[in-house]
Amino acid sequence: MADPFLEFRTVSFHAGGRAILDRLDLRVAQGEVLVLLGRSGSGKTTALKLANALLMPSGGEVMVEGRSTRQWNAIELRRRTGYVIQETGLLPHLTVGENVGLVPRIRGAEANPERIRGLLDLVGLPAEFAGRYPRQLSGGQRQRAGVARALAADPRLLLFDEPFGALDPVTRFELQNEFRALQQRLRKTAIFVTHDLREALRLGDRIALLHNGRLEVNCAAAEFRHAATPEASAFLAAFRGDI
């Protein structure tokens, strides 16, 4: 791999007297979608939060564009990073358009209505949705709006924390397809957290399997079916017939 866009260098994170992450070594290339796969409590979301300095490592270094997160201005790093969570995080008192334009406004740029309409179109939402409030949208529509907001400042890095996990299977499948199409078009560097192996195989260029805070598998998505570690075998057995 060429110089990575994002790198975890022997990263550990401790909380409550236990190791949430234990000596994680992982590199993410520019334009790559890395899926962090694992059970609940495996350390996936912790790794995601370390990537944009919401958390700081107890040991080791997290490097973004060649610079440690300890050296970045944390606010600036987060503004350069798009973050999408399961419940979208849309502010309920703002319209969809105001939510999408929020980060550019925070950075001192004008929230261009044409730019907002373009972002909504990019994620499959009609322009008239800009004037609606989050409560007036379905779950899938809110997730699309959340992705549009994450893209608003043209971030170099996108972080997705199980964004489709609460959706019905049909909507989830549709959004997975839209994510793939969007990534083929934009080629953003992205980390996508999930506990669903089917989703990992559909969306990832590479899969990193975490188990009890340790990296157990790190391979191309197409090679994961041949992984022979105990935890990989457990995932493959759980989803056998679905992949």
Side-chain angles (χ1 to χ4, degrees):
M1 182 187 292
D3 289 342
F5 183 91
L6 172 66
E7 185 176 10
F8 295 83
R9 295 181 177 175
T10 320
V11 170
S12 296
F13 183 81
H14 299 93
R18 68 185 188 95
I20 309 300
L21 284 176
D22 185 13
R23 294 168 291 174
L24 176 64
D25 284 300
L26 195 57
R27 294 154 66 94
V28 187
Q30 186 168 336
E32 178 180 40
V33 177
L34 173 73
V35 171
L36 291 178
L37 177 68
R39 307 186 197 207
S40 298
S42 62
K44 308 184 299 298
T45 295
T46 296
L48 207 67
K49 290 180 177 180
L50 287 164
N52 72 341
L54 285 170
L55 296 174
M56 284 293 170
S58 304
E61 295 289 345
V62 180
M63 309 294 293
V64 180
E65 297 185 76
R67 193 192 322 175
S68 169
T69 53
R70 302 181 199 275
Q71 298 172 334
W72 276 94
N73 177 292
I75 300 301
E76 178 60 22
L77 177 59
R78 291 169 201 155
R79 289 177 180 174
R80 293 163 59 96
T81 304
Y83 206 114
V84 184
I85 60 176
Q86 188 172 114
E87 297 301 326
T88 74
L90 297 175
L91 298 176
H93 62 286
L94 299 181
T95 65
V96 169
E98 289 168 340
N99 269 285
V100 172
L102 185 61
V103 174
R105 286 200 302 275
I106 289 173
R107 299 184 68 174
E110 183 181 352
N112 188 302
E114 184 176 341
R115 166 73 170 159
I116 290 172
R117 287 194 296 269
L119 286 165
L120 293 179
D121 180 68
L122 190 64
V123 299
L125 289 177
E128 59 264 26
F129 276 61
R132 299 185 185 181
Y133 288 88
R135 65 180 179 274
Q136 297 173 302
L137 275 58
S138 69
Q141 290 165 345
R142 286 194 296 272
Q143 285 305 122
R144 289 179 174 91
V147 173
R149 186 180 63 176
L151 293 171
D154 195 21
R156 300 287 306 278
L157 176 65
L158 289 170
L159 305 176
F160 295 85
D161 193 359
E162 301 196 59
F164 310 146
L167 301 175
D168 65 84
V170 174
T171 303
R172 184 171 187 168
F173 183 77
E174 291 172 349
L175 284 173
Q176 288 170 354
N177 286 339
E178 290 173 16
F179 175 89
R180 292 173 63 185
L182 196 63
Q183 176 61 11
Q184 288 171 2
R185 179 173 174 178
L186 300 179
R187 299 307 303 171
K188 295 287 186 180
T189 306
I191 302 179
F192 195 105
V193 164
T194 185
H195 57 260
D196 187 329
L197 179 56
R198 293 162 299 190
E199 187 165 71
L201 292 170
R202 285 178 58 80
L203 302 183
D205 297 313
R206 197 153 47 87
I207 296 174
L209 176 63
L210 295 178
H211 181 52
N212 291 334
R214 294 189 175 186
L215 180 64
E216 187 166 298
V217 175
N218 178 16
C219 67
E223 297 173 0
F224 190 87
R225 292 176 174 85
H226 308 294
T229 69
E231 188 67 0
S233 297
F235 267 87
L236 289 164
F239 288 93
R240 186 164 288 122
D242 294 328
I243 58 174

